[in-house]
Amino acid sequence: MAALSPLSVALLVAVTVGLAAAILAWRERPEPGATWLAVLLTGQVWWATFLVFELEATTLPAKALWYDVQWVGVVAIPVGWLFFALAYTGYDRYVTPFSVALVSVIPVATVAVAAAGDPGDLLAVDRVVRETAVGTFLDVVPGPLYYVIAGYTYLLGAVGSVPLIQLIRDDARPFRGQSAALLVGTAAPWAGNLAHLSGAVPIPGLDPTPLAFAVSGVAYLLALSRFRLLTLAPAPRRRARQLVFEQLHDPVFVVGTEGLLVDLNECAAETFGIDRRDAIGEPAATVVPKYDAIRELDGTDADKPRPIPIVGRDGQRPYEATVRDVVDDHDRTTARVITFHDVGAYLGQQQRLNVLNRVFRHDVRTETNLIQGYAEQLRSDPTDERALSIIEESAGRMLELSERTRTAGELFDPTEESETAPLTDAVDEAVAEARAVAPDARIEVGQVAPVPVPVVLEVVLGNLCTNAVRHNDADAPWMRIDAAVADGWVEVTVADDGPGIDPAEYDVLDRGTETPLRHGSGIGLWIVKWGVDHLGGRISFDEREPTGTVVTVCVPVDRSETPGADSDGEPPDPPLDDSATTGESASLGPPPNAGR
Amino acid sequence: MANEPTRPSAPDGTTAQYRSHATPSDSGTLRLVAAFVAGAPFAGLVAAVEVAVVTAALGVPLSAAPVAVGLVAFAVYAADHVADAEGDIGSTPVRARIALRYADQLMVAAAVSYGLAVALAAGAGPAALALVLVPGAVWIGYATDWLPAAGDLVAPLGEVSVPRLKDVFLLNSAAVALAWAVAVVAAPLAFAGVPVDSAGAPAVALLFAYVFARSFVDVEVPNVRDVAADAARGVATLPVVYGVSGTRRALLAVDAVAAGLLAATAATGAASTPALAALGVGLAVSVTVTALADRLGGAALGVAPDCSYLVAGAVLLAIGW
């Protein structure tokens, strides 16, 4: 066989490095982009290999045959480049069988035309063999399809370069290196082809594009080995960031500068019962809960988030909202990210610690001092029945305090959270407890709907009913319990004719914290409040004429069945008993400044 | 000894024999280098010499064929050693350890070697290019999961499962032998641009059959050493199925056939007599190695069969090729 032309030798160098890179890329499958990079490199090797055959062929038909075969590699390169760039940079959702088929239409048509012998001279109007100093070329006068596929190649090359150029600006050095090597590997043959098309190459018929594949191969080999091109691909980063946004356990809204909702995560949609497809594009004020209040968190307030009671699918919860600006590369604010953090558990725990601290520090000590004092009195006078009676009552109160403390602990037992029971059972249980405490009490039970409610409501109602009859100084205590269901909310009203609750008691609940000077008595009302908070509901107290109290508890029927929040994010107003007055009302939502 | 099953004695699959040999630190580096050279580089060298001897036997001009086939052999065996490194721990622990530790470097070397071989072949023309691609294509079907995956794609319900060629009894060795026979005998002709008729079609066919038979023996002899590991992995080889004695008898029979083919080639008069004589000496070495298969150490058994070609090459040089 005759000696190879210098041009063929140069092309064989491109074949060597290109094929080596293709094998290494193929080996990295299924890393993102590995297959498509192998396709790209194989296309280059194919083109260069058959160009060698064309150069070394001695007849026009033989050269024309190898020229036509090269089209397979020529058209594979831009397709491989585009889908490699997309898959490698994390835009793999655009790499689908449909998109591949769509993008491949023109390349496949080109190969088909070449295979069919170029009918109508679509690819080449004329082919001439030219003798030059560096070899014998097939000088081709391009046909219309040639320009179409050339333009198409440039288009795909440009589109694929966009995400890679973005990587050059990335903070991570390996990705910058990878991207730079890839772009050099692509730019070299691109420049060669531009020189050919523009007529800048002095040798007629010589397309230096395949020669530049040697540069491409080296660049790709460098990217593969030095910059760990496929073993350290940036593709997962986009997915990971999106995943974090979507899977975040806090509701997040993205609001554009015009006040329209740009995005929200899955937690936000689930928590507040929002349809994402409908919500995006809507004014934020109609979608984001308490948006008007949150919007005021600009400036200094943004650093001091405060709990905001919001009603979602899980009922009323205290959320802490934080607002962060989304700033572009030119320091322009393009959107605001509003994050809601559920602080109910934190606030509840803080309240429990405060109350239990007070119980042990104040209530237990008071009772103990009482027992100790009257015990000494009994030592001097063992017949003192009053002292004995006081000791017994005090010990009883301590026992009851102990029991309620245990009940308070059980309220937050996670195993109880998902259990439900019919509302009728909960009411019956509460009434039975009240009868056990006060057998002579007149207890009336109104209409009770048989809807499922969390079992925690039993504890709440039990405490309310026993308190209603226990702290009633009437000869025959009266109590009535009613339960209504509206819009997915259960409203239970417990009314009594007792002396009423000292407003200072529920003022403390409203505030959410106790102090040595301002505190409640016992923990019964706290258990009621914690139970209602735990259920995401609310509680209100009203005085009753002529005497007594009306306590209304409003909780969701069932979390899984509760519809979305009202537009204002509040549960409906609780129905009031006919005998109740509307004079004083204390709404006990989560304390606005508790723990802050 | 080679005929003693090397049962794994540790959870990592290493054997007592392996550990005791690996312990001395002063000879560790030397052993690693020796194991590396005895692996893919040795296979490449043998393939190159094989092609050179066949080139001489066919009487065609010397070309880049030995280099190209040698590079392909190196690439294929290096890739094979990397791909099967974990499975080879029991049979060839040092080589497997090298393959595991330097997997990336070996694959880069294999890829560049294959690229260079293809470039050399492309420079020699389309026929040479096609020939150089044959061993690589056979290796893909032989060692990778490409065939089983394709089988699953065709019959997804699992009624028909296509195994790796490497796991099919006799066909595995036959496929390897066929690939090398094609490359070794056809490459000199293709690279030199000599038509088969010019070299003598009967001589070419007989030499092809000879190389096929010899390659089959060369593939099966090391399986005597790997019998325990192959049996554990469920790979059927001659030693696994017929035992060491049965394998020895079968391979000696194949060597006898090879001797007959060599004689027939000589009878055609189209082949170079000195080259055929050199191949005859190599065949004698092969028969000796086959006869001693159960008495040679594991490392020796890995290279001894292929050494017959090196001996043949040396003889050819000595008698004035």
Side-chain angles (χ1 to χ4, degrees), chain A residues 102-322:
Chain A
L102 192 66
V103 169
S104 302
V105 167
I106 293 178
V108 169
T110 304
V111 172
V113 168
D118 193 12
D121 295 337
L122 292 172
L123 284 169
V125 176
D126 193 17
R127 305 172 192 230
V128 182
V129 175
R130 292 193 187 279
E131 294 281 350
T132 71
V134 291
T136 308
F137 297 106
L138 183 69
D139 191 4
V140 175
V141 179
L145 184 57
Y146 182 98
Y147 290 109
V148 170
I149 189 67
Y152 190 66
T153 299
Y154 277 71
L155 175 67
L156 297 190
V159 172
S161 299
V162 171
L164 286 166
I165 289 172
Q166 290 173 344
L167 273 184
I168 284 188
R169 303 176 62 187
D170 198 280
D171 294 335
R173 195 171 56 179
F175 298 137
R176 292 205 305 264
Q178 290 174 358
S179 182
L182 289 171
L183 290 172
V184 167
T186 305
W190 210 339
N193 194 249
L194 274 175
H196 171 62
L197 291 179
S198 63
V201 179
I203 302 169
L206 172 61
D207 181 355
T209 308
L211 285 172
F213 290 156
V215 178
S216 300
V218 171
Y220 292 141
L221 271 178
L222 189 70
L224 282 164
S225 54
R226 174 71 179 82
F227 297 117
R228 296 171 290 169
L229 179 68
L230 296 173
T231 52
L232 183 66
R237 301 202 307 173
R238 274 177 51 80
R239 290 276 179 194
R241 288 170 181 171
Q242 186 65 22
L243 192 68
V244 169
F245 177 76
E246 285 298 335
Q247 302 294 319
L248 196 68
H249 286 185
D250 288 334
V252 181
F253 296 89
V254 183
V255 180
T257 51
E258 299 299 322
L260 300 177
L261 190 67
V262 176
D263 202 359
L264 69 159
N265 68 352
E266 189 65 37
C267 180
E270 175 66 24
T271 303
F272 302 121
I274 300 170
D275 187 319
R276 297 182 70 170
R277 285 175 299 183
D278 294 342
I280 291 176
E282 293 295 313
T286 64
V287 181
V288 181
K290 300 291 178 68
Y291 181 68
D292 290 337
I294 294 165
R295 195 162 48 181
E296 295 169 2
L297 293 177
D298 266 336
T300 55
D301 285 347
D303 296 331
K304 296 178 180 177
R306 58 187 173 83
I308 302 169
I310 296 173
V311 176
R313 291 181 72 90
D314 288 339
Q316 180 163 294
R317 307 284 297 171
Y319 285 93
E320 201 175 77
T322 51

Side-chain angles (χ1 to χ4, degrees), chain B residues 96-261:
Chain B
R97 200 172 58 177
I98 292 171
L100 284 171
R101 184 171 176 181
Y102 300 105
D104 289 342
Q105 292 88 335
L106 276 172
M107 279 307 299
V108 170
V112 173
S113 294
Y114 208 89
L116 198 53
V118 167
L120 287 174
L129 176 65
L131 280 173
V132 162
L133 294 176
V134 168
V138 171
W139 180 78
I140 289 173
Y142 175 77
T144 68
D145 290 330
W146 184 80
L147 273 180
D152 291 343
L153 203 63
V154 174
L157 297 178
E159 294 171 359
V160 180
S161 62
V162 180
R164 285 198 313 173
L165 210 52
K166 196 170 191 172
D167 300 331
V168 182
F169 178 53
L170 287 184
L171 198 59
N172 47 13
S173 300
V176 175
L178 186 66
W180 289 123
V182 169
V184 167
V185 179
L189 298 171
F191 274 74
V194 176
V196 173
D197 291 341
S198 301
V204 171
L206 288 168
L207 267 177
F208 176 84
Y210 170 80
V211 173
F212 174 78
R214 285 286 301 106
S215 298
F216 182 83
V217 173
D218 292 348
V219 172
E220 283 292 345
V221 168
N223 285 337
V224 171
R225 172 199 59 190
D226 301 339
V227 62
D230 286 339
R233 279 186 290 166
V235 177
T237 62
L238 273 180
V240 170
V241 176
Y242 295 112
V244 174
S245 300
T247 301
R248 189 167 52 235
R249 284 194 294 273
L251 295 184
L252 285 173
V254 176
D255 273 339
V257 171
L261 289 167

Side-chain angles (χ1 to χ4, degrees), chain A residues 1-2 4 11-13 15-17 19-21 23-24 26-28 45 49-50 52-53 56 66 221 225, chain B residues 82 103-104 107-108 110-112 114-116 118-126 129 133 190-193:
Chain A
M1 196 159 182
L4 295 175
L11 286 169
L12 291 179
V13 172
V15 169
T16 302
V17 291
L19 186 58
I23 292 171
L24 294 178
W26 184 256
R27 180 181 176 239
E28 295 297 339
V45 170
T49 300
F50 288 99
V52 171
F53 292 168
E56 299 304 318
W66 297 127
L221 271 178
S225 54
Chain B
V82 171
D104 289 342
M107 279 307 299
V108 170
V112 173
Y114 208 89
L116 198 53
V118 167
L120 287 174
L129 176 65
L133 294 176
F191 274 74

Side-chain angles (χ1 to χ4, degrees), chain A residues 244-562:
Chain A
V244 169
F245 177 76
E246 285 298 335
Q247 302 294 319
L248 196 68
H249 286 185
D250 288 334
V252 181
F253 296 89
V254 183
V255 180
T257 51
E258 299 299 322
L260 300 177
L261 190 67
V262 176
D263 202 359
L264 69 159
N265 68 352
E266 189 65 37
C267 180
E270 175 66 24
T271 303
F272 302 121
I274 300 170
D275 187 319
R276 297 182 70 170
R277 285 175 299 183
D278 294 342
I280 291 176
E282 293 295 313
T286 64
V287 181
V288 181
K290 300 291 178 68
Y291 181 68
D292 290 337
I294 294 165
R295 195 162 48 181
E296 295 169 2
L297 293 177
D298 266 336
T300 55
D301 285 347
D303 296 331
K304 296 178 180 177
R306 58 187 173 83
I308 302 169
I310 296 173
V311 176
R313 291 181 72 90
D314 288 339
Q316 180 163 294
R317 307 284 297 171
Y319 285 93
E320 201 175 77
T322 51
V323 180
R324 292 284 180 271
D325 288 344
V326 180
V327 180
D328 66 8
D329 291 337
H330 306 287
D331 289 333
R332 293 178 300 212
T333 300
T334 55
R336 302 173 76 205
V337 176
I338 301 170
T339 306
F340 291 91
H341 182 56
D342 184 350
V343 293
Y346 167 74
L347 294 179
Q349 192 172 16
Q350 197 171 44
Q351 283 175 1
R352 288 201 303 281
L353 285 173
N354 283 339
V355 171
L356 292 177
N357 182 38
R358 185 261 300 168
V359 165
F360 280 100
R361 187 172 39 78
H362 180 268
D363 295 19
V364 172
R365 190 177 63 177
T366 302
E367 299 293 350
T368 307
N369 286 340
L370 204 62
I371 291 171
Q372 197 172 24
Y374 281 97
E376 287 178 3
Q377 195 168 321
L378 278 175
R379 190 188 300 277
S380 59
D381 180 9
T383 63
D384 189 343
E385 287 294 328
R386 180 172 170 273
L388 191 61
S389 172
I390 290 174
I391 288 175
E392 284 177 344
E393 287 174 6
S394 185
R397 283 194 295 273
M398 286 184 67
L399 185 63
E400 184 188 342
L401 196 60
S402 168
E403 286 295 321
R404 290 194 166 187
T405 305
R406 185 173 62 83
T407 303
E410 289 174 351
L411 273 181
F412 300 95
D413 183 352
T415 60
E416 300 285 328
E417 195 169 345
S418 59
E419 290 186 21
T420 59
L423 177 59
T424 49
D425 289 359
V427 170
D428 290 347
E429 182 73 22
V431 168
E433 284 184 41
R435 288 193 194 286
V437 170
D440 298 333
R442 291 177 294 124
I443 299 177
E444 298 175 8
V445 179
Q447 291 288 327
V448 178
V451 292
V453 291
V455 291
V456 172
L457 190 61
E458 283 185 12
V459 179
V460 172
L461 298 182
N463 269 275
L464 285 176
C465 291
T466 53
N467 279 350
V469 296
R470 173 180 284 135
H471 300 297
N472 195 323
D473 52 2
D475 293 337
W478 173 86
M479 191 209 87
R480 179 183 172 86
I481 182 168
D482 293 277
V485 179
D487 297 332
W489 292 84
V490 176
E491 294 162 357
V492 184
T493 308
V494 178
D496 65 62
D497 61 350
I501 302 173
D502 184 350
E505 290 275 345
Y506 46 73
D507 277 351
V508 171
L509 300 188
D510 194 25
R511 246 193 358 266
T513 54
E514 291 188 338
T515 64
L517 296 179
R518 301 179 67 179
H519 58 77
S521 61
I523 61 171
L525 279 182
W526 279 111
I527 289 175
V528 170
K529 173 180 165 45
W530 291 338
V532 172
D533 284 352
H534 187 69
L535 298 175
R538 62 187 303 175
I539 184 172
S540 61
F541 295 82
D542 290 280
E543 291 184 354
R544 183 176 173 276
E545 291 296 340
T547 61
T549 307
V550 177
V551 183
T552 302
V553 168
C554 190
V555 297
V557 171
D558 189 309
R559 293 177 187 191
S560 60
E561 297 173 5
T562 305

